[in-house]
Amino acid sequence: MQLAPFFPLLYRILQPTFPNCLWSGNPHTKAVALTFDDGPHPVYTPQLLKVLDYYSIPASFFWLGACVNRAPATAKTVSDRGHWIGLHGYDHRSFPLLSPPELKLSLESTQQAISQACGVHPTSVRDVRPPNGLFTPQTLDLLNQWQYRSVMWSVVPEDWVRPGIKLVVQRVLEQVQNGSTIVLHDGACGGQDVAQTAKILIPLLLQRGYEFVTIDALWYGHGQKISPI
């Protein structure tokens, strides 16, 4: 069963319940953040980068440490393009299933992988999106205690199950609004279609007058800042 119809409802319930997470940006500003999870992938991410380059679109990537270690050159290319980088855990295990020491190690190992691949300071990468969108209040308390910033989502077209590029684009267009945080995937699940999806979606959103910004730009609207990578 596809879960895409339930994500808008979840967003409306969870966003006010956990206001310290970044779910979306300023509702009065016609800007959206295009974000990509589960990479970097040595094939799918470079394909996506060509589309982002063509439209001069900044994006935000939430990486798995294991994938960074498998494709460090791709990671470096993304970073060098000036895209925003965040953490998605080391190997996509749901955070509530990890003990606090395991969670901390997962995040720090991912930071270290990014540091080695991209030549940035490990602690400059502080945005965290939980794998599978799963978290508990304890998870958020730990992330805050360790000085990470929790990043969630507002538009989830469930592209990782590959329902078809046309349907993914349709779902985004039906849900997008000012400040939306759109989640797509450039990893092993869904990455096969991500470049073509972006190639269709980006010009349609531009035609609607949306500006593309990074997750960091959305945080500025919440009064929080972080050193650039």
Side-chain angles (χ1 to χ4, degrees):
M1 181 181 71
Q2 294 191 15
L3 300 176
F6 300 101
F7 283 114
L9 176 61
L10 282 174
Y11 166 70
R12 289 194 293 271
I13 294 172
L14 294 174
Q15 191 271 340
T17 306
F18 300 98
N20 291 329
C21 303
L22 180 68
W23 295 89
S24 56
N26 190 334
H28 306 295
T29 302
K30 208 168 179 63
V32 297
L34 199 54
T35 73
F36 301 93
D37 291 0
D38 294 358
H41 190 280
V43 176
Y44 307 144
T45 304
Q47 293 172 349
L48 171 62
L49 286 177
K50 290 181 180 179
V51 179
L52 298 176
D53 285 349
Y54 180 83
Y55 289 102
S56 299
I57 296 300
S60 302
F61 291 81
F62 290 86
W63 282 344
L64 298 171
C67 290
V68 175
N69 283 332
R70 285 195 293 264
T74 302
K76 181 72 160 58
T77 301
V78 173
S79 179
D80 287 349
R81 293 285 202 283
H83 298 293
W84 192 254
I85 309 301
L87 310 170
H88 202 45
Y90 189 80
D91 52 8
H92 211 274
R93 287 190 291 167
S94 295
F95 288 173
L97 301 180
L98 302 177
S99 67
E102 288 173 333
L103 175 57
K104 197 168 192 291
L105 178 61
S106 175
L107 296 173
E108 290 178 347
S109 297
T110 306
Q111 287 176 309
Q112 191 58 42
I114 294 171
S115 175
Q116 292 176 351
C118 304
V120 300
H121 196 280
T123 60
S124 68
V125 187
R126 284 290 182 180
D127 286 327
V128 178
R129 174 177 280 155
N132 305 310
L134 297 177
F135 63 91
T136 65
Q138 181 192 29
T139 303
L140 301 182
D141 288 343
L142 288 171
L143 294 177
N144 183 63
Q145 176 185 326
W146 298 331
Q147 297 185 333
Y148 292 104
R149 304 191 301 185
S150 300
V151 178
M152 303 304 174
W153 35 259
S154 59
V155 178
V156 186
E158 204 179 15
D159 62 318
W160 65 88
V161 301
R162 302 189 69 191
I165 293 170
K166 182 178 179 180
L167 183 54
V168 169
V169 171
Q170 177 185 324
R171 287 171 175 172
V172 174
L173 294 178
E174 288 174 349
Q175 298 177 41
V176 71
Q177 54 189 313
N178 291 356
S180 285
T181 304
I182 303 167
V183 179
L184 297 172
H185 293 75
D186 63 326
C189 297
Q192 302 92 330
D193 301 329
V194 71
Q196 187 62 25
T197 299
K199 187 176 181 180
I200 296 171
L201 181 61
I202 288 172
L204 292 175
L205 291 174
L206 289 172
Q207 288 172 16
R208 292 189 178 191
Y210 286 107
E211 174 192 3
F212 290 86
V213 299
T214 64
I215 285 296
D216 189 52
L218 296 190
W219 274 119
Y220 270 78
H222 288 245
Q224 294 195 39
K225 301 180 181 180
I226 192 172
S227 300
I229 63 172

